Amino acid sequence: MAKVKAKVTCFIDNSLRNEGDEFEYNGPKNTNVEIIDGTEFEKTEVKVDDTQVAKQKWTPKNKTVASSAD
C-alpha cells in the first residue's frame, strides 16, 4: 500500500478525505492524491467481457390515449 496525501477534498475508500490528510491507499492511480513514501500505485487491468448481449425478446405495448369527456 502506498502512503498518500490528499491534494483536494475527495471521497476515497468510503471516506471523505480533506486536503492535507495522509492515509494509506491501495487502488488505481488517482489525480486527487500525491504519493508520500515513494512506492507507486498498483497497476490494475480492467477485463472486458466480449459476450454479446441478448436482444430484447418482447415488444412494448402501444400506449393508449385517454379521451377527455367534454
Side-chain angles (χ1 to χ4, degrees):
M1 280 203 219
K3 187 151 181 142
V4 296
K5 181 177 180 180
K7 293 180 185 177
V8 295
T9 301
C10 53
F11 190 78
I12 298 177
D13 292 337
N14 295 326
S15 298
L16 184 63
R17 310 293 183 165
N18 293 316
E19 184 177 349
D21 286 353
E22 294 181 6
F23 56 96
E24 289 189 1
Y25 176 64
N26 186 21
K29 187 173 181 180
N30 192 328
T31 58
N32 296 325
V33 297
E34 63 180 280
I35 300 172
I36 295 174
D37 66 357
T39 59
E40 300 222 358
F41 288 115
E42 291 183 5
K43 294 185 180 184
T44 57
E45 293 183 18
V46 178
K47 271 191 168 179
V48 178
D49 192 13
D50 292 337
T51 58
Q52 293 181 351
V53 178
K55 292 186 178 181
Q56 191 174 20
K57 295 181 180 179
W58 53 272
T59 56
K61 294 181 179 179
N62 293 334
K63 290 186 178 182
T64 57
V65 178
S67 60
S68 60
D70 290 359

